[in-house]
Every structure is written in structure tokens, then in C-alpha cells.
Amino acid sequence: MTTPVQTPATGAAHAASVAAISVRSAGKVFQVAKGAEVRALDDVSLTVAPGEFVSLIGPSGCGKSTLLRLIADLDEATSGEILVFGKTARQARIDQEYGIAFQSAGLLPWRSVQANIELPLELHGVGKTERSARAEELIELVGLTDFRSRFPDQLSGGMQQRVAIARSLAERPKLLLMDEPFGALDEMTRERMQQELVRICSETGAAVVFVTHSIPEAVFLSDRVVVMSPRPGRIVGIVDIDLGPGTQRSEGLRENSAFFEGVTAVREALHGSPAAPMGVELR
Amino acid sequence: MTRPGVRFSAVLWGLAGLVLLAVLWEGYKAVGPVTGVQFFGQSILPKTDDRSMPHLVDMVTRALQPVNSAVGSPPVWVSVIGAALNSLGVAAVGWVAGSVVGFLLALLMQRLRVAERAVLPWLILSQTVPLIALAPVIVAWGGKIQIGAFSWDRWMSVAVIASYLAFFPVAVGALRGLQSPDAIHLELMRTYNAGWFKTLLRLRLPASVPYLIPALRLGAASAIVGTVVAEVSTGYKGGIGRMIIEFAQSGTSDPAKAYAPIAGAVILGLVSAGLVALVGLALKRFNRQEAAS
Ligand SMILES: Nc1ncnc2c1ncn2[C@@H]1O[C@H](COP(=O)(O)OP(=O)(O)OP(=O)(O)O)[C@@H](O)[C@H]1O
Ligand SMILES: [Mg+2]
């Protein structure tokens, strides 16, 4: 991380090589009560390449959501710089550079599955026929063809989450931000959803920042796993996972020794052990 | 789908309440002392003679007879319905006007935090002004309005007073509804870079419906009460409020007559609630439960 800080202008000039996300020494301090403050993030630097799948993992309160929210421009960094495709986070949000999915699906209860998926398109003035064609594609992609005119309260939690993911993909973003999207699901549904997500993402070529509490989930999905520690929230290690492209990641992989090595490496980084068998760079 | 069942049992309970009321009335009339019950010179239970408490049968029979002895005088129930419809029309105008004003105020308060802090206390204060005090003022002001062919009519004063009562529950309910969306939905709209108006249209308005429907129902009830009371205090003729007073004044000679317009006013309230329920039915789509995820 010795690259000099680039201005947005020069970043955009290298359009081909511009990072999907470039976080430089970002910090976030929340003012809680009078005088009291929480340092949620401290000197965090991270670069995510286009098409790369990066997971954020760490104990509760270490600032994973905060980092994601800074990238999404839902909160503002108190220090440092955050660029998304070479633009400021704010500009990137205005330009709709990313799709987002939260821990709870956040579907609008009065809209059908299809209408929920169409929401971002509708807001951005996409025509009716184009909209429903796109929704059709996405509904098929997440396997909800028979449920397109159902309402959220008629769906299981897993189905709702799939709708939310379809919605986040609606505008073909080159970047997906996901905050524990599978947090509320049972283990079986969760593994199936992971499989679907990894396939969808490698098919669409989107870069992903994925927040999770689950080590196997992070390893199964990611090209890199970013390990964070709390108080103040900072990155303590980045584990490279070499399990091949997403299209080739299937259930069998979970029994693979490379998968176990990845799990071990992430666990050790989390627990602060110096052993680094699989390309861990500890800082 | 328990809906029809729920509605059916609601009707049953309503009827049971009516029967209970009738039983209490006739029961007390049968066993209560003719002179009523007095406590240190204060009458705490009414007299039970036919003048103070006519039999229910007499009330119904009286309702079917002509209003007075004049030739061609319509039956009491017909003129009660006429008066009730008249009041319903005035109340409806007041309700619509009040609801629109209330909703616009809610929008303003939602849009501007300052407005909420500045306006809300005044709204609450406005409802503490007694109606009786308000009526003459509005009639007097209305009387001064004359624009071209338009001149202020007495029913408009009544409608204004009805709207004055109706706007408050709508303003409060709509404000709560507009503020009801969860942070996650608001943030989602922010990620879509949707401005205030688009967020209003796609999120706040639909989310406010479950709050708005009860508020509109409350507003309708207030508008009816306002209309009935305002008819009396503004001296507007032709409505049910006026009729209640008129018929009550003939109470000594014809006690059973007074109850028909009272029943008419009650039915008026029920009808207005029914009309609002129709509005709710039209907006049923937005009344869905929050998805449990
Ligand atoms: N709006 C806020 N106001 C004050 N403090 C906040 C706010 N949001 C987050 N924090 C604090 O910042 C720290 C990091 O929170 P964050 O939500 O990013 O953690 P997290 O890693 O996502 O945790 P979890 O895994 O439990 O979701 C916590 O100590 C939290 O209390
Ligand atoms: Mg979190």
C-alpha cells in the first residue's frame, strides 16, 4: 500500500486499470453521547479489482458494516479517501455504480416479487417492456419463476433474500455490496444460496464486497478474505483464496483440502496466530 | 383467510350490543322507580315514566307515522333519512376538505423538521378550542365573503367546522404514516439516488396507507360530530342535528318522536365509516403485512 494517492482525475485516466474500490486510510468516528466517540474504523486501506470477490470478516462491532456503508455513501468517512471506479463514493452512488443487499431483504411489502425487482429500474425511468424483460431474466436467474406475482409476506426468508439479490443485480452493476445477506438463513439454504451467488457473480463479472460472520462462507465465495479486528476497527490480514473461478466452485469444493486450508488460514488470521500457510499478508 | 369470519362475528357482536342496550332500556323501565333514583337531591337515574323513557315499540311506531298532522306530511323515518343525507353531504365536503388540508400539513411536517416542531403544537392546540366558540366566528366571517356570483352559504360554515375537526386525526395519522418507513427502505432509496419526491411516491405514500385508513375513519367520525353540532350552533336548517333539536322540543307532547333522528345520526356515523372502509378496500394492496424475514 505504498501507491501514492491518486486524484479522481488521474484515476479515471487509467480507465482500463481503475480499481472497483480503492479505500485509502479511511477512518470513521461516530459521535455517540456528548464528548464520547466510537472509532468504528481506523486507517483502513483496501483495493478491490474489477470482478474480484472480496469478503470482510471479523468479530461483531469491528466495523464491517461501517466500511460497506462508507463505500455505499450511506455514511461519510471522517478521514481518508474512498474511490469507487475512480470516482468519489458520492458520485459513484449518484451514477448508480453499485447494487446493494442488506442483512434483511428489505422488500417493499406492497410490491410483488417482480415489482420489487423492477423498483430500481422504475425509479430510473426504464420503460415498461424493458423492465419486465429484465425482471424476467433475473427471476429466472434466482429461480423464482413460479413466484413472480407473489408478495413478500408469501415467501420464505430465503426466497425474499433471493429477490433482494435479484433486485441488487437489476441494473447490471459492476459492483455488488452485500452485508450479511445470508445471515438469517438456515445452513442448507445458505449453502445453496452461496452456490447461486458465486455462479451469478462470475457470470455477470461484478466485483463484490461481501460481509459475513462465517469463515466457510467467506472462503467458499471469495478471491480474497479481509480479516478485521475491533476497537478500533482495522484490517489485520488479507487471505488469498485460490479455489479457481466462481463458475467452477461447486458443493464438492467444500470437501476439498484447498478449501480447508483456506478455512484454517482465515481462522488463524482471525485469532491472531502468526501461522500463515496460504499467502496471508499480516499487517 | 379468516377475513369473512372476522367480519361476520363483528356483525354478530354489534347486534348483541344493540340487543343488550334494548334489554337494559326496557329492563330498567320495567323495574326502576317511576320517579327515578335521587341521591341527595341529585337525580342519578332517570324517571321511568313514558314521557322520559318511551317504550322501544313506541319509538318505532312513531317513526313510521307522519311527522305532524299537516296534510301530506311525510312519515318521520322518511324525513329523518332526508335530513341525514343532507348532513352526510355537508359532512362529506368537510371531511374531504379537512383530509386534504390534514394531508398537506402532514407532508409539510414530514418534509421540514422545523415545520413539524413549529406546526404540531398549534395543531394540538387547535383542537382544544371549543366548537361552540368557533361556530359564530366562522358564520360571521363567512357572511362577509362575496366574490362575484359566489356567496357564502350557511352549509359552508357547517362544512368548515366539520373539516376543522376532521383534519386533525388525518394530519397526525398521515404524518406517522409518512414517517413510518424503516431505515433500510430509506437507505435503499438513497442508494438509488431517489430524491424526496420519488421517495415519497414509491415509499412514503404507500407505507402511510395502513396509518391513513384509520385516520380517515376517525376524521369521518369527527366530521359527522362536527356537522351535527355545527348545524345547531350555526342555525343551519335541513340537517339531522337541527332535526334532533326540533323533535326534542316537541318532547313533552310527543316523546317517542325525538328518538328517530338520534338513531338517524347513529346510522349516519356507521354509513360514513362504511364509506371510508370502501376507500380502504380500494387501497387494500398497500395494507399488506410487513414481510417477516
Ligand atoms: N450510527 C452509529 N452511531 C454510533 N456508533 C455506531 C454507529 N454505527 C456503528 N457504530 C459503532 O461502530 C462500530 C462498528 O459497527 P459496525 O456496525 O460496522 O460493526 P460490524 O462489524 O458490522 O458488526 P456486526 O458483525 O455485529 O454487524 C460498533 O462499535 C458500533 O457500535
Ligand atoms: Mg454489521
Side-chain angles (χ1 to χ4, degrees):
Chain A
M1 288 289 134
T2 49
T3 351
V5 176
Q6 288 177 321
T7 64
T10 56
H14 308 288
S17 63
V18 73
I21 298 172
S22 152
V23 178
R24 286 173 213 282
S25 319
K28 176 70 187 174
V29 177
F30 287 108
Q31 306 290 339
V32 269
K34 263 219 167 68
E37 50 186 39
V38 178
R39 277 164 72 201
L41 284 180
D42 190 51
D43 192 26
V44 167
S45 296
L46 175 70
T47 309
V48 177
E52 191 183 19
F53 200 121
V54 171
S55 289
L56 305 181
I57 197 166
S60 190
C62 68
K64 306 180 293 291
S65 300
T66 305
L67 179 54
L68 203 74
R69 292 171 58 83
L70 294 186
I71 297 168
D73 188 40
L74 291 173
D75 267 323
E76 220 172 324
T78 33
S79 61
E81 182 191 42
I82 294 176
L83 298 181
V84 178
F85 295 110
K87 309 168 183 175
T88 61
R90 160 148 310 189
Q91 193 57 45
R93 173 176 65 79
I94 291 169
D95 294 347
Q96 299 295 299
E97 296 284 5
Y98 66 82
I100 195 163
F102 302 99
Q103 178 165 8
S104 64
L107 304 178
L108 299 181
W110 54 85
R111 283 177 163 251
S112 67
V113 165
Q114 170 153 8
N116 261 295
I117 295 175
E118 286 182 15
L119 176 68
L121 302 169
E122 202 177 310
L123 280 165
H124 299 131
V126 176
K128 198 166 166 50
T129 44
E130 202 183 329
R131 232 159 53 203
S132 62
R134 179 69 182 141
E136 196 78 13
E137 266 172 54
L138 288 163
I139 288 171
E140 200 163 316
L141 188 70
V142 296
L144 288 173
T145 319
D146 297 337
F147 297 90
R148 100 187 46 176
S149 42
R150 297 282 189 89
F151 285 84
D153 59 346
Q154 301 167 326
L155 301 179
S156 74
M159 290 168 163
Q160 289 177 28
Q161 208 57 55
R162 276 189 270 174
V163 178
I165 289 170
R167 180 178 63 184
S168 71
L169 293 167
E171 300 188 281
R172 298 191 175 83
K174 290 172 288 165
L175 173 62
L176 271 177
L177 304 176
M178 309 185 114
D179 194 348
E180 299 185 48
F182 307 149
L185 305 184
D186 67 274
E187 200 56 32
M188 301 236 306
T189 317
R190 195 167 175 149
E191 290 192 354
R192 208 175 55 243
M193 297 283 297
Q194 289 166 9
Q195 177 99 55
E196 284 177 27
L197 180 65
V198 87
R199 172 180 58 85
I200 291 168
C201 290
S202 51
E203 278 173 18
T204 57
V208 185
V209 178
F210 188 94
V211 173
T212 177
H213 277 142
S214 157
I215 299 173
E217 179 168 275
V219 172
F220 182 79
L221 293 171
S222 312
D223 298 318
R224 278 193 297 157
V225 178
V226 174
V227 180
M228 298 177 69
S229 79
R231 275 173 297 274
R234 50 158 56 109
I235 296 177
V236 291
I238 297 181
V239 182
D240 287 314
I241 308 289
D242 196 12
L243 294 175
T247 37
Q248 285 161 27
R249 298 194 184 188
S250 60
E251 281 310 305
L253 196 66
R254 294 183 201 276
E255 259 113 70
N256 190 322
S257 66
F259 176 75
F260 286 123
E261 275 172 38
V263 168
T264 310
V266 173
R267 179 172 294 131
E268 282 171 357
L270 260 175
H271 295 291
S273 155
M278 206 176 159
V280 188
E281 32 164 313
L282 287 169
R283 291 181 279 176
Chain B
M1 284 286 135
T2 53
R3 275 253 157 133
V6 167
R7 202 163 292 165
F8 184 65
S9 70
V11 169
L12 268 188
W13 279 111
L15 285 178
L18 273 183
V19 170
L20 182 69
L21 213 63
V23 167
L24 277 178
W25 180 274
E26 290 292 341
Y28 174 69
K29 187 170 163 56
V31 301
V34 179
T35 51
V37 176
Q38 315 232 323
F39 194 71
F40 289 117
Q42 293 285 317
S43 164
I44 58 168
L45 282 175
K47 296 179 186 170
T48 57
D49 59 311
D50 280 350
R51 181 124 61 81
S52 309
M53 289 183 70
H55 277 292
L56 292 172
V57 190
D58 293 338
M59 297 180 198
V60 175
T61 335
R62 185 64 191 87
L64 298 175
Q65 290 160 355
V67 175
N68 51 37
S69 52
V71 192
S73 167
V76 168
W77 69 273
V78 171
S79 50
V80 163
I81 286 179
L85 285 178
N86 183 316
S87 290
L88 184 64
V90 175
V93 171
W95 176 72
V96 169
S99 297
V100 169
V101 170
F103 192 78
L104 290 179
L105 279 171
L107 271 185
L108 179 76
M109 288 189 283
Q110 191 281 312
R111 183 79 178 92
L112 301 169
R113 265 282 138 80
V114 196
E116 183 182 347
R117 254 174 286 142
V119 176
L120 202 53
W122 287 104
L123 294 193
I124 294 166
L125 215 63
S126 76
Q127 297 303 298
T128 62
V129 177
L131 206 54
I132 306 296
L134 207 65
V137 180
I138 288 175
V139 173
W141 283 350
K144 296 202 182 81
I145 297 176
Q146 178 116 35
I147 308 156
F150 173 86
S151 74
W152 192 258
D153 224 1
R154 213 147 252 236
W155 73 266
M156 295 175 193
S157 301
V158 178
V160 166
I161 292 169
S163 70
Y164 184 84
L165 288 196
F167 93 96
F168 181 71
V170 176
V172 173
L175 178 61
R176 272 193 56 197
L178 291 172
Q179 289 177 338
S180 70
D182 298 332
I184 183 175
H185 288 141
L186 291 170
E187 288 186 340
L188 192 70
M189 297 306 273
R190 182 172 154 83
T191 68
Y192 295 146
N193 195 32
W196 179 77
F197 186 70
K198 278 187 174 176
T199 307
L200 177 73
L201 217 59
R202 296 276 188 267
L203 179 61
R204 290 191 190 274
L205 277 184
S208 73
V209 168
Y211 296 81
L212 206 53
I213 300 297
L216 287 175
R217 196 181 309 135
L218 215 59
S222 300
I224 297 286
V225 171
T227 303
V228 169
V229 176
E231 279 174 13
V232 178
S233 47
T234 60
Y236 167 72
K237 291 190 184 65
I240 193 95
R242 181 69 180 209
M243 184 177 269
I244 290 173
I245 297 291
E246 272 172 12
F247 282 17
Q249 277 158 0
S250 63
T252 35
S253 58
D254 197 356
K257 189 177 168 189
Y259 291 89
I262 291 176
V266 171
I267 291 170
L268 187 59
L270 291 178
V271 167
S272 71
L275 292 178
V276 177
L278 286 183
V279 175
L281 219 55
L283 295 173
K284 194 162 143 238
R285 182 160 83 89
F286 299 105
N287 229 340
R288 288 200 92 90
Q289 283 300 304
E290 190 76 39
S293 77

